[in-house]
Amino acid sequence: MAEKPSERELMLAGKPYNPYDKDLVDGRDRARDLVQEINRTTSKEEEKRQKLFKDLFGTSGEGVYITPPFYCDYGANIHIGDKSYMNFNCTILDCAKVTIGKECMFAPNVAIYTATHSIDPVERLESGTEFAKEIKIGDRVWIGGNAVILPGVTIGDCAVIGAGSVVTKDVAPWTVVAGNPAKFIKKIEKKE
């Protein structure tokens, strides 16, 4: 008989899981401790802050720069490419894997949410479970201030997300989207 998957395995597989499982609570506590330490660093403690981010994230490329404050659930499920930048107050609920490509730019208050719940109120409240959907952000993506990226979204390379947008669906590479919900605005011309 197959062994029952752990709540962490269920979470990462996009299945309903119990967020109050001890292993998951411990993972969030570890992340919160590291995030508090990161957010207390001064502008003169860049080397210390970079080490803490490397400890927090699943993987972190070279030249990544994140301006505190920063917030996340686990950190270990975040994978960020070389030379990416996040401005003040970015939040990533990384209950599923979040992949951020290289040379991305996030304006202040960008929110990335992999966590979600049943839309059925009885199921949502009585089961106590939640589930998560992976988010993928390609290379050289620019996300404007106060944009929200919802569970399961993939954003293609070189896309631009307008400020204040709520991204509910995949975004094609080399396009600009904006609005709530985010809609196609225009194609970006590639320069040779």
Side-chain angles (χ1 to χ4, degrees):
M1 186 168 187
E3 191 174 313
K4 182 181 178 219
S6 70
E7 296 299 317
R8 180 177 298 277
E9 290 168 331
L10 291 170
M11 177 180 79
L12 293 172
K15 308 283 187 204
Y17 65 92
N18 174 6
Y20 303 106
D21 174 75
K22 182 179 179 346
D23 176 47
L24 296 180
V25 170
D26 289 348
R28 288 192 304 273
D29 286 347
R30 175 194 171 275
R32 287 190 177 114
D33 289 347
L34 284 168
V35 164
Q36 281 184 338
E37 196 169 345
I38 287 165
N39 290 341
R40 283 194 303 259
T41 60
T42 69
S43 59
K44 293 179 175 62
E45 296 177 297
E46 180 58 31
E47 193 173 304
K48 176 183 179 181
R49 188 166 46 252
Q50 290 303 326
K51 182 191 177 318
L52 290 167
F53 274 119
K54 289 236 183 232
D55 291 345
L56 177 65
F57 292 155
T59 55
S60 179
E62 295 301 315
V64 170
Y65 191 89
I66 300 171
T67 306
F70 171 85
Y71 303 97
C72 67
D73 268 342
Y74 297 93
N77 301 321
I78 299 170
H79 304 274
I80 185 168
D82 293 343
K83 299 180 183 175
S84 285
Y85 170 74
M86 291 182 193
N87 210 323
F88 298 103
N89 212 37
C90 285
T91 300
I92 303 176
L93 301 187
D94 62 314
C95 302
K97 186 176 180 181
V98 175
T99 304
I100 299 165
K102 65 183 180 187
E103 299 174 338
C104 291
M105 295 173 58
F106 292 13
N109 300 310
V110 168
I112 299 172
Y113 302 147
T114 65
T116 190
H117 305 271
S118 172
I119 60 170
D120 179 285
V122 174
E123 183 180 331
R124 181 174 59 245
L125 298 172
E126 290 181 2
S127 75
T129 62
E130 58 186 49
F131 61 101
K133 296 179 182 178
E134 182 176 357
I135 292 175
K136 298 176 189 172
I137 299 170
D139 295 337
R140 296 184 168 181
V141 170
W142 176 22
I143 301 179
N146 292 302
V148 178
I149 314 301
L150 293 180
V153 166
T154 295
I155 300 173
D157 291 346
C158 303
V160 175
I161 311 300
S165 296
V166 177
V167 182
T168 62
K169 296 179 182 171
D170 291 353
V171 176
W174 292 89
T175 58
V176 177
V177 301
N180 182 1
K183 293 186 168 108
F184 173 84
I185 303 296
K186 68 179 183 176
K187 189 91 176 136
I188 300 169
E189 295 298 322
K190 295 181 188 179
K191 295 183 180 172
E192 299 302 320

